[in-house]
Short mmCIF file of all heavy atoms in Angstrom, two decimals:
data_model
loop_
_atom_site.label_atom_id
_atom_site.label_comp_id
_atom_site.label_asym_id
_atom_site.label_seq_id
_atom_site.Cartn_x
_atom_site.Cartn_y
_atom_site.Cartn_z
N MET A 20 0.83 -1.20 0.00
CA MET A 20 0.00 0.00 0.00
C MET A 20 0.87 1.25 0.00
O MET A 20 1.97 1.26 0.53
CB MET A 20 -0.93 0.00 1.21
CG MET A 20 -0.24 -0.33 2.51
SD MET A 20 -1.45 -0.62 3.77
CE MET A 20 -2.41 0.85 3.58
N VAL A 21 0.35 2.30 -0.62
CA VAL A 21 1.14 3.51 -0.79
C VAL A 21 0.37 4.70 -0.24
O VAL A 21 -0.84 4.83 -0.44
CB VAL A 21 1.43 3.75 -2.29
CG1 VAL A 21 2.27 5.01 -2.47
CG2 VAL A 21 2.14 2.55 -2.89
N CYS A 22 1.07 5.56 0.46
CA CYS A 22 0.44 6.78 0.99
C CYS A 22 -0.02 7.65 -0.18
O CYS A 22 0.74 7.90 -1.12
CB CYS A 22 1.44 7.54 1.85
SG CYS A 22 0.83 9.15 2.38
N ALA A 23 -1.27 8.09 -0.11
CA ALA A 23 -1.84 8.85 -1.22
C ALA A 23 -1.25 10.26 -1.30
O ALA A 23 -1.44 10.96 -2.28
CB ALA A 23 -3.35 8.94 -1.07
N ARG A 24 -0.55 10.66 -0.25
CA ARG A 24 -0.09 12.05 -0.22
C ARG A 24 1.40 12.16 -0.53
O ARG A 24 1.80 12.94 -1.37
CB ARG A 24 -0.38 12.64 1.16
CG ARG A 24 -0.38 14.15 1.20
CD ARG A 24 -1.20 14.63 2.38
NE ARG A 24 -1.09 16.07 2.56
CZ ARG A 24 -0.18 16.63 3.37
NH1 ARG A 24 0.67 15.88 4.03
NH2 ARG A 24 -0.14 17.93 3.50
N CYS A 25 2.21 11.36 0.16
CA CYS A 25 3.66 11.51 -0.01
C CYS A 25 4.27 10.32 -0.73
O CYS A 25 5.43 10.36 -1.11
CB CYS A 25 4.33 11.70 1.34
SG CYS A 25 4.39 10.23 2.35
N GLY A 26 3.50 9.26 -0.96
CA GLY A 26 4.02 8.13 -1.70
C GLY A 26 4.80 7.15 -0.87
O GLY A 26 5.40 6.22 -1.42
N ALA A 27 4.81 7.32 0.45
CA ALA A 27 5.50 6.37 1.31
C ALA A 27 4.84 5.00 1.19
O ALA A 27 3.62 4.90 0.99
CB ALA A 27 5.45 6.85 2.76
N GLN A 28 5.64 3.96 1.33
CA GLN A 28 5.10 2.62 1.16
C GLN A 28 5.15 1.85 2.47
O GLN A 28 6.02 2.06 3.30
CB GLN A 28 5.90 1.87 0.09
CG GLN A 28 5.78 2.53 -1.27
CD GLN A 28 6.48 1.71 -2.36
OE1 GLN A 28 7.01 0.65 -2.09
NE2 GLN A 28 6.46 2.22 -3.58
N ALA A 29 4.17 0.96 2.67
CA ALA A 29 4.12 0.10 3.84
C ALA A 29 3.56 -1.24 3.43
O ALA A 29 2.81 -1.35 2.47
CB ALA A 29 3.25 0.74 4.93
N ALA A 30 3.95 -2.26 4.21
CA ALA A 30 3.46 -3.60 3.92
C ALA A 30 2.10 -3.80 4.58
O ALA A 30 1.72 -3.09 5.49
CB ALA A 30 4.46 -4.63 4.44
N GLN A 31 1.38 -4.80 4.10
CA GLN A 31 0.11 -5.16 4.72
C GLN A 31 0.39 -6.07 5.92
O GLN A 31 1.25 -6.91 5.84
CB GLN A 31 -0.76 -5.94 3.72
CG GLN A 31 -1.26 -5.11 2.58
CD GLN A 31 -2.53 -4.36 2.93
OE1 GLN A 31 -2.89 -4.26 4.09
NE2 GLN A 31 -3.21 -3.81 1.93
N PRO A 32 -0.35 -5.93 7.01
CA PRO A 32 -1.33 -4.87 7.24
C PRO A 32 -0.65 -3.55 7.55
O PRO A 32 0.48 -3.56 8.04
CB PRO A 32 -2.10 -5.39 8.46
CG PRO A 32 -1.09 -6.21 9.20
CD PRO A 32 -0.20 -6.83 8.16
N PRO A 33 -1.29 -2.46 7.29
CA PRO A 33 -0.67 -1.15 7.52
C PRO A 33 -0.44 -0.90 9.00
O PRO A 33 -1.19 -1.39 9.84
CB PRO A 33 -1.70 -0.17 6.96
CG PRO A 33 -2.99 -0.91 7.01
CD PRO A 33 -2.65 -2.35 6.78
N PRO A 34 0.58 -0.12 9.35
CA PRO A 34 0.82 0.24 10.76
C PRO A 34 -0.39 0.98 11.33
O PRO A 34 -1.17 1.57 10.58
CB PRO A 34 2.04 1.17 10.68
CG PRO A 34 2.67 0.87 9.36
CD PRO A 34 1.56 0.46 8.45
N LEU A 35 -0.50 0.97 12.65
CA LEU A 35 -1.65 1.62 13.30
C LEU A 35 -1.70 3.11 13.01
O LEU A 35 -2.75 3.72 13.09
CB LEU A 35 -1.58 1.39 14.81
CG LEU A 35 -1.86 -0.05 15.26
CD1 LEU A 35 -1.67 -0.16 16.77
CD2 LEU A 35 -3.26 -0.48 14.85
N THR A 36 -0.56 3.67 12.69
CA THR A 36 -0.52 5.12 12.46
C THR A 36 -1.13 5.48 11.11
O THR A 36 -1.47 6.63 10.88
CB THR A 36 0.93 5.62 12.51
OG1 THR A 36 1.73 4.81 11.65
CG2 THR A 36 1.48 5.56 13.92
N TRP A 37 -1.26 4.51 10.23
CA TRP A 37 -1.84 4.79 8.92
C TRP A 37 -3.36 4.89 9.06
O TRP A 37 -3.98 4.20 9.84
CB TRP A 37 -1.50 3.68 7.93
CG TRP A 37 -0.10 3.78 7.39
CD1 TRP A 37 1.05 3.78 8.12
CD2 TRP A 37 0.29 3.90 6.02
NE1 TRP A 37 2.13 3.89 7.27
CE2 TRP A 37 1.70 3.96 5.99
CE3 TRP A 37 -0.42 3.95 4.81
CZ2 TRP A 37 2.41 4.08 4.79
CZ3 TRP A 37 0.29 4.06 3.63
CH2 TRP A 37 1.68 4.14 3.62
N THR A 38 -3.94 5.75 8.25
CA THR A 38 -5.39 5.88 8.25
C THR A 38 -5.92 5.68 6.84
O THR A 38 -5.22 5.90 5.86
CB THR A 38 -5.84 7.27 8.74
OG1 THR A 38 -5.25 8.26 7.91
CG2 THR A 38 -5.45 7.50 10.18
N CYS A 39 -7.16 5.24 6.78
CA CYS A 39 -7.81 5.03 5.50
C CYS A 39 -8.98 5.99 5.40
O CYS A 39 -9.80 6.10 6.30
CB CYS A 39 -8.31 3.60 5.41
SG CYS A 39 -9.35 3.30 3.97
N SER A 40 -9.06 6.69 4.30
CA SER A 40 -10.20 7.58 4.10
C SER A 40 -10.85 7.26 2.77
O SER A 40 -10.18 6.95 1.79
CB SER A 40 -9.74 9.04 4.12
OG SER A 40 -9.07 9.36 2.93
N VAL A 41 -12.17 7.28 2.75
CA VAL A 41 -12.91 7.00 1.53
C VAL A 41 -13.54 8.29 1.02
O VAL A 41 -14.31 8.94 1.72
CB VAL A 41 -14.00 5.95 1.78
CG1 VAL A 41 -14.76 5.66 0.48
CG2 VAL A 41 -13.39 4.68 2.32
N ASP A 42 -13.15 8.68 -0.16
CA ASP A 42 -13.66 9.92 -0.74
C ASP A 42 -14.23 9.63 -2.11
O ASP A 42 -13.53 9.19 -3.00
CB ASP A 42 -12.51 10.94 -0.83
CG ASP A 42 -13.02 12.29 -1.31
OD1 ASP A 42 -14.20 12.61 -1.05
OD2 ASP A 42 -12.24 13.01 -1.95
N LYS A 43 -15.52 9.83 -2.26
CA LYS A 43 -16.20 9.58 -3.53
C LYS A 43 -15.97 8.15 -4.01
O LYS A 43 -15.73 7.89 -5.18
CB LYS A 43 -15.72 10.55 -4.61
CG LYS A 43 -15.96 12.01 -4.25
CD LYS A 43 -15.62 12.90 -5.42
CE LYS A 43 -15.79 14.36 -5.05
NZ LYS A 43 -14.53 14.95 -4.58
N GLY A 44 -16.01 7.21 -3.06
CA GLY A 44 -15.88 5.82 -3.42
C GLY A 44 -14.46 5.36 -3.65
O GLY A 44 -14.23 4.19 -3.91
N VAL A 45 -13.49 6.26 -3.55
CA VAL A 45 -12.10 5.90 -3.73
C VAL A 45 -11.42 5.81 -2.38
O VAL A 45 -11.48 6.76 -1.59
CB VAL A 45 -11.36 6.93 -4.62
CG1 VAL A 45 -9.90 6.54 -4.78
CG2 VAL A 45 -12.06 7.03 -5.97
N ARG A 46 -10.82 4.66 -2.10
CA ARG A 46 -10.18 4.47 -0.81
C ARG A 46 -8.72 4.94 -0.88
O ARG A 46 -7.98 4.52 -1.76
CB ARG A 46 -10.23 2.99 -0.44
CG ARG A 46 -9.89 2.74 1.01
CD ARG A 46 -10.08 1.30 1.38
NE ARG A 46 -11.49 0.89 1.31
CZ ARG A 46 -11.93 -0.26 1.79
NH1 ARG A 46 -11.10 -1.10 2.33
NH2 ARG A 46 -13.19 -0.56 1.70
N SER A 47 -8.36 5.81 0.02
CA SER A 47 -7.00 6.32 0.05
C SER A 47 -6.39 6.05 1.41
O SER A 47 -7.07 6.10 2.42
CB SER A 47 -7.00 7.84 -0.22
OG SER A 47 -7.67 8.12 -1.43
N TYR A 48 -5.10 5.77 1.40
CA TYR A 48 -4.38 5.54 2.64
C TYR A 48 -3.39 6.66 2.87
O TYR A 48 -2.80 7.18 1.92
CB TYR A 48 -3.65 4.20 2.59
CG TYR A 48 -4.58 3.01 2.60
CD1 TYR A 48 -4.99 2.41 1.43
CD2 TYR A 48 -5.04 2.51 3.81
CE1 TYR A 48 -5.85 1.33 1.44
CE2 TYR A 48 -5.90 1.42 3.84
CZ TYR A 48 -6.30 0.84 2.65
OH TYR A 48 -7.15 -0.23 2.67
N PHE A 49 -3.23 7.04 4.14
CA PHE A 49 -2.28 8.08 4.49
C PHE A 49 -1.36 7.56 5.57
O PHE A 49 -1.82 6.94 6.53
CB PHE A 49 -3.01 9.33 4.99
CG PHE A 49 -3.87 9.98 3.94
CD1 PHE A 49 -5.23 9.71 3.87
CD2 PHE A 49 -3.31 10.85 3.01
CE1 PHE A 49 -6.02 10.30 2.89
CE2 PHE A 49 -4.10 11.45 2.04
CZ PHE A 49 -5.45 11.18 1.96
N CYS A 50 -0.08 7.84 5.44
CA CYS A 50 0.88 7.41 6.45
C CYS A 50 0.68 8.27 7.71
O CYS A 50 -0.09 9.23 7.71
CB CYS A 50 2.31 7.54 5.93
SG CYS A 50 2.86 9.24 5.70
N GLY A 51 1.37 7.92 8.78
CA GLY A 51 1.18 8.61 10.04
C GLY A 51 1.39 10.11 9.93
O GLY A 51 0.60 10.90 10.43
N THR A 52 2.45 10.51 9.27
CA THR A 52 2.75 11.93 9.14
C THR A 52 1.65 12.65 8.37
O THR A 52 1.14 13.68 8.79
CB THR A 52 4.09 12.12 8.41
OG1 THR A 52 5.09 11.38 9.09
CG2 THR A 52 4.48 13.59 8.37
N CYS A 53 1.28 12.08 7.25
CA CYS A 53 0.27 12.72 6.41
C CYS A 53 -1.10 12.68 7.07
O CYS A 53 -1.90 13.59 6.90
CB CYS A 53 0.21 12.05 5.04
SG CYS A 53 1.72 12.28 4.09
N SER A 54 -1.37 11.65 7.84
CA SER A 54 -2.65 11.57 8.55
C SER A 54 -2.79 12.75 9.49
O SER A 54 -3.84 13.39 9.55
CB SER A 54 -2.74 10.28 9.34
OG SER A 54 -2.68 9.18 8.47
N ARG A 55 -1.71 13.05 10.20
CA ARG A 55 -1.75 14.16 11.14
C ARG A 55 -1.95 15.48 10.39
O ARG A 55 -2.79 16.30 10.75
CB ARG A 55 -0.46 14.21 11.97
CG ARG A 55 -0.70 13.99 13.43
CD ARG A 55 0.61 13.90 14.16
NE ARG A 55 1.50 12.93 13.50
CZ ARG A 55 2.81 12.85 13.69
NH1 ARG A 55 3.39 13.67 14.52
NH2 ARG A 55 3.53 11.95 13.07
N ASP A 56 -1.19 15.66 9.33
CA ASP A 56 -1.34 16.89 8.54
C ASP A 56 -2.74 16.97 7.96
O ASP A 56 -3.36 18.03 7.93
CB ASP A 56 -0.32 16.90 7.41
CG ASP A 56 1.09 17.10 7.95
OD1 ASP A 56 1.22 17.39 9.15
OD2 ASP A 56 2.03 16.97 7.15
N ASN A 57 -3.22 15.84 7.50
CA ASN A 57 -4.54 15.80 6.88
C ASN A 57 -5.62 16.16 7.89
O ASN A 57 -6.51 16.97 7.62
CB ASN A 57 -4.78 14.39 6.33
CG ASN A 57 -5.68 14.41 5.12
OD1 ASN A 57 -5.60 15.32 4.31
ND2 ASN A 57 -6.52 13.42 4.97
N LEU A 58 -5.54 15.55 9.08
CA LEU A 58 -6.53 15.83 10.12
C LEU A 58 -6.53 17.30 10.49
O LEU A 58 -7.58 17.92 10.62
CB LEU A 58 -6.22 14.98 11.36
CG LEU A 58 -6.80 13.58 11.37
CD1 LEU A 58 -6.42 12.87 12.66
CD2 LEU A 58 -8.31 13.63 11.24
N ARG A 59 -5.33 17.85 10.62
CA ARG A 59 -5.23 19.25 11.00
C ARG A 59 -5.85 20.12 9.92
O ARG A 59 -6.56 21.08 10.19
CB ARG A 59 -3.77 19.63 11.22
CG ARG A 59 -3.61 20.72 12.25
CD ARG A 59 -2.14 20.96 12.54
NE ARG A 59 -1.45 19.77 13.01
CZ ARG A 59 -0.17 19.49 12.80
NH1 ARG A 59 0.57 20.32 12.11
NH2 ARG A 59 0.36 18.38 13.27
N ALA A 60 -5.61 19.76 8.68
CA ALA A 60 -6.15 20.54 7.57
C ALA A 60 -7.67 20.46 7.57
O ALA A 60 -8.36 21.46 7.40
CB ALA A 60 -5.60 20.00 6.25
N ILE A 61 -8.20 19.25 7.79
CA ILE A 61 -9.65 19.08 7.80
C ILE A 61 -10.26 19.85 8.97
O ILE A 61 -11.23 20.59 8.80
CB ILE A 61 -10.01 17.58 7.91
CG1 ILE A 61 -9.59 16.86 6.63
CG2 ILE A 61 -11.50 17.40 8.16
CD1 ILE A 61 -9.69 15.34 6.73
N GLU A 62 -9.67 19.69 10.16
CA GLU A 62 -10.20 20.39 11.32
C GLU A 62 -10.09 21.89 11.14
O GLU A 62 -10.99 22.64 11.49
CB GLU A 62 -9.45 19.95 12.58
CG GLU A 62 -9.84 18.55 13.00
CD GLU A 62 -8.93 18.04 14.10
OE1 GLU A 62 -8.00 18.77 14.50
OE2 GLU A 62 -9.14 16.91 14.56
N GLY A 63 -8.98 22.34 10.60
CA GLY A 63 -8.80 23.76 10.38
C GLY A 63 -9.85 24.30 9.42
O GLY A 63 -10.40 25.39 9.61
N ARG A 64 -10.14 23.51 8.38
CA ARG A 64 -11.14 23.93 7.41
C ARG A 64 -12.52 24.02 8.08
O ARG A 64 -13.26 24.96 7.88
CB ARG A 64 -11.18 22.93 6.25
CG ARG A 64 -11.47 23.58 4.93
CD ARG A 64 -11.51 22.55 3.82
NE ARG A 64 -10.30 21.71 3.81
CZ ARG A 64 -10.27 20.45 3.42
NH1 ARG A 64 -11.36 19.86 3.02
NH2 ARG A 64 -9.15 19.76 3.42
N LEU A 65 -12.84 23.00 8.89
CA LEU A 65 -14.15 22.98 9.55
C LEU A 65 -14.27 24.14 10.55
O LEU A 65 -15.33 24.74 10.67
CB LEU A 65 -14.34 21.66 10.29
CG LEU A 65 -14.58 20.44 9.39
CD1 LEU A 65 -14.66 19.19 10.23
CD2 LEU A 65 -15.85 20.60 8.57
N ASP A 66 -13.17 24.40 11.26
CA ASP A 66 -13.24 25.42 12.29
C ASP A 66 -13.31 26.83 11.72
O ASP A 66 -14.02 27.68 12.23
CB ASP A 66 -12.00 25.32 13.19
CG ASP A 66 -12.13 24.13 14.13
OD1 ASP A 66 -13.22 23.55 14.18
OD2 ASP A 66 -11.14 23.80 14.79
N SER A 67 -12.58 27.09 10.65
CA SER A 67 -12.52 28.46 10.18
C SER A 67 -13.29 28.68 8.88
O SER A 67 -14.37 29.27 8.86
CB SER A 67 -11.06 28.88 9.99
OG SER A 67 -10.40 27.94 9.16
N ASP A 68 -12.75 28.14 7.79
CA ASP A 68 -13.32 28.46 6.48
C ASP A 68 -14.74 27.94 6.31
O ASP A 68 -15.58 28.59 5.72
CB ASP A 68 -12.45 27.87 5.38
CG ASP A 68 -11.09 28.55 5.35
OD1 ASP A 68 -10.97 29.62 5.95
OD2 ASP A 68 -10.18 27.98 4.74
N TRP A 69 -14.98 26.72 6.84
CA TRP A 69 -16.26 26.10 6.57
C TRP A 69 -17.41 26.90 7.19
O TRP A 69 -18.46 27.08 6.59
CB TRP A 69 -16.25 24.66 7.10
CG TRP A 69 -17.51 23.92 6.79
CD1 TRP A 69 -18.55 23.72 7.61
CD2 TRP A 69 -17.86 23.29 5.54
NE1 TRP A 69 -19.52 23.00 6.96
CE2 TRP A 69 -19.12 22.73 5.71
CE3 TRP A 69 -17.18 23.16 4.31
CZ2 TRP A 69 -19.76 22.04 4.67
CZ3 TRP A 69 -17.81 22.48 3.28
CH2 TRP A 69 -19.08 21.92 3.46
N TRP A 70 -17.23 27.35 8.41
CA TRP A 70 -18.33 28.04 9.09
C TRP A 70 -18.25 29.51 8.82
O TRP A 70 -17.92 30.35 9.30
CB TRP A 70 -18.31 27.74 10.58
CG TRP A 70 -18.61 26.30 10.81
CD1 TRP A 70 -17.75 25.34 11.21
CD2 TRP A 70 -19.88 25.64 10.62
NE1 TRP A 70 -18.39 24.13 11.28
CE2 TRP A 70 -19.68 24.29 10.93
CE3 TRP A 70 -21.14 26.08 10.19
CZ2 TRP A 70 -20.71 23.36 10.84
CZ3 TRP A 70 -22.17 25.15 10.10
CH2 TRP A 70 -21.96 23.81 10.43
ZN1 ZN B 102 2.44 10.14 3.62
#
């Protein structure tokens, strides 16, 4: 499996730090680092721009 953001690779099963997100029916995996950045980006969007 490959991180959808930075291209990092991991063997199956993915480490606990990896997260899986489904967007428009497409399953994407993010490594630990990108998951954190991704979460922050999503939360930041919800907290500020979205509302
Ligand atoms: Zn990554």
Side-chain angles (χ1 to χ4, degrees):
M20 48 191 308
V21 180
C22 173
R24 199 157 173 267
C25 72
Q28 297 185 2
Q31 292 275 14
L35 289 176
T36 51
W37 282 58
T38 57
C39 171
S40 75
V41 180
D42 185 29
K43 300 187 183 94
V45 179
R46 194 174 294 191
S47 306
Y48 291 95
F49 296 97
C50 69
T52 306
C53 294
S54 298
R55 244 174 310 163
D56 290 351
N57 210 37
L58 274 180
R59 210 174 301 149
I61 292 171
E62 286 171 359
R64 215 180 307 149
L65 288 176
D66 285 350
S67 53
D68 294 344
W69 184 262
W70 294 108

